[in-house]
């Protein structure tokens, strides 16, 4: 794969961030190994998430090969760029091909980026355990790659699902990287996924609670979580989550 396209896209993303005046702080990027296979796992809150999580990789001189939904690869120009950057198409009904693609990236020593919630959450917290797919855990267990948790908060204010967006300049965005997790002896994919989810959930909760730009009127702020008095829906008010991943050990062979 060629990284020329990736470098050009990074320049474009940085231009967008500058134009929006985003106040981005990345903390803990040094926890991402500089070499070797890594599974980078993050929460999913908005359309800028790929940019934000990608910053962790570029801070360490690495490119993240994301698993992205198949629909993105059906747009001609975008599809060519996505493939050129080494991203992996995910067919939610047939996960074997995407599992093999992600496995191949890891075997080549790449960083693979995964959003286990599979879709953008509207509560702006970490979705419940039943909404988390286990593919990241399977990949780590199959390759020995560490799972590096990433939590980010604030990017959803700019653009997220449901037509929610704001072009107001100067939004604060925080991206935190946690200590890598490695599968324990006899630990199942379900147990590892639960442990990973709990780690990211705690990081996201901390970021939200300490957010430097809380809304003046929380009760009317669509982007502010319900547990902090905001107008975002709770997880209980959300539709039933997507089923667990069909990516299993057999599909990684």
């Amino acid at each position: 794969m060629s990284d020329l396209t990736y470098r050009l896209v990074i320049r474009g993303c940085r231009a967008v961030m500058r134009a929006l005046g985003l106040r981005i702080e990345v903390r803990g990027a040094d926890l991402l190994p500089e070499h070797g296979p890594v599974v980078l796992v993050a929460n999913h809150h908005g359309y800028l998430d790929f940019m934000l999580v990608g910053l962790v990789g570029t801070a360490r001189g690495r490119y993240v090969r994301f698993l992205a939904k198949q629909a993105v690869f059906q747009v001609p120009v975008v599809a060519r760029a996505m493939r050129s950057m080494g991203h992996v198409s995910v067919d939610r009904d047939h996960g074997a091909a995407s599992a093999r693609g992600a496995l191949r990236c890891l075997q080549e020593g790449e960083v693979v980026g995964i959003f286990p919630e599979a879709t953008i959450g509207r509560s702006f917290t970490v979705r419940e355990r039943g909404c988390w797919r286990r593919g990241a855990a399977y990949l780590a267990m199959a390759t020995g790659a560490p799972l590096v948790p990433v939590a980010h908060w604030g990017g959803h204010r700019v653009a997220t699902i449901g037509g929610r967006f704001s072009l107001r300049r100067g939004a604060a965005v925080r991206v935190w990287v946690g200590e890598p997790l490695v599968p324990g002896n006899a630990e199942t994919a379900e147990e590892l996924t639960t442990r990973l989810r709990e780690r990211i959930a705690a990081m996201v909760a901390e970021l939200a609670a300490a957010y430097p730009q809380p809304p003046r009127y929380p009760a009317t702020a669509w982007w502010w979580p319900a547990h902090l008095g905001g107008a975002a829906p709770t997880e209980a008010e959300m539709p039933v989550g997507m089923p667990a991943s069909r990516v299993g050990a057999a599909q990684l062979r």
Side-chain angles (χ1 to χ4, degrees):
M1 64 188 74
S2 170
D3 288 326
L4 174 60
T5 301
Y6 216 137
R7 290 193 292 271
L8 294 174
V9 169
I10 288 173
R11 290 180 186 176
C13 290
R14 286 176 173 167
V16 170
M17 293 176 184
R18 286 194 300 269
L20 293 170
L22 299 183
R23 301 177 182 180
I24 300 175
E25 177 186 353
V26 179
R27 185 179 301 180
D30 59 310
L31 294 171
L32 175 67
E34 288 186 287
H35 307 284
V38 178
V39 181
L40 202 62
V41 186
N43 57 300
H44 202 9
H45 285 174
Y47 296 134
L48 299 188
D49 294 356
F50 291 92
M51 291 188 198
L52 300 177
V53 177
L55 289 175
V56 177
T58 55
R60 298 290 279 171
R62 305 197 67 177
Y63 297 112
V64 182
R65 316 301 177 179
F66 285 103
L67 270 65
K69 63 183 181 180
Q70 189 179 43
V72 176
F73 288 80
Q74 295 173 343
V75 181
V77 176
V78 175
R80 178 178 295 182
M82 292 291 284
R83 293 191 179 94
S84 179
M85 289 186 284
H87 300 313
V88 179
S89 174
V90 175
D91 182 341
R92 289 174 174 172
D93 294 323
H94 305 90
S98 57
R100 288 194 296 269
L103 181 62
R104 184 166 53 252
C105 286
L106 291 171
Q107 291 171 337
E108 294 173 355
E110 299 284 356
V111 180
V112 171
I114 298 179
F115 298 99
E117 294 166 288
T119 190
I120 295 174
R122 298 171 185 257
S123 67
F124 309 121
T125 59
V126 170
R127 304 187 77 193
E128 297 298 328
R129 185 177 64 179
C131 298
W132 274 55
R133 297 191 166 200
R134 298 188 294 270
Y138 281 121
L139 288 168
M141 294 168 68
T143 62
L147 288 163
V148 176
V150 178
H152 56 86
W153 215 86
H156 62 286
R157 292 178 61 188
V158 179
T160 191
I161 196 168
R164 300 284 194 177
F165 70 93
S166 172
L167 297 180
R168 179 177 295 181
R169 290 176 52 82
V173 180
R174 300 291 183 263
V175 184
W176 282 8
V177 185
E179 293 282 349
L181 280 70
V182 295
N185 291 332
E187 188 174 28
T188 67
E190 180 68 30
E191 292 168 340
L192 181 56
T193 299
T194 297
R195 187 156 61 98
L196 178 64
R197 180 201 167 276
E198 290 174 350
R199 174 74 63 84
I200 294 178
M203 293 166 64
V204 169
E206 185 176 353
L207 283 174
Y211 190 63
Q213 297 174 343
R216 180 175 297 182
Y217 305 106
T220 60
W222 61 265
W223 56 272
W224 195 242
H227 74 278
L228 295 177
T234 64
E235 278 295 314
E237 296 169 332
M238 298 292 294
V240 177
M242 297 185 67
S245 176
R246 299 184 185 183
V247 176
Q251 293 174 315
L252 295 175
R253 294 171 186 161

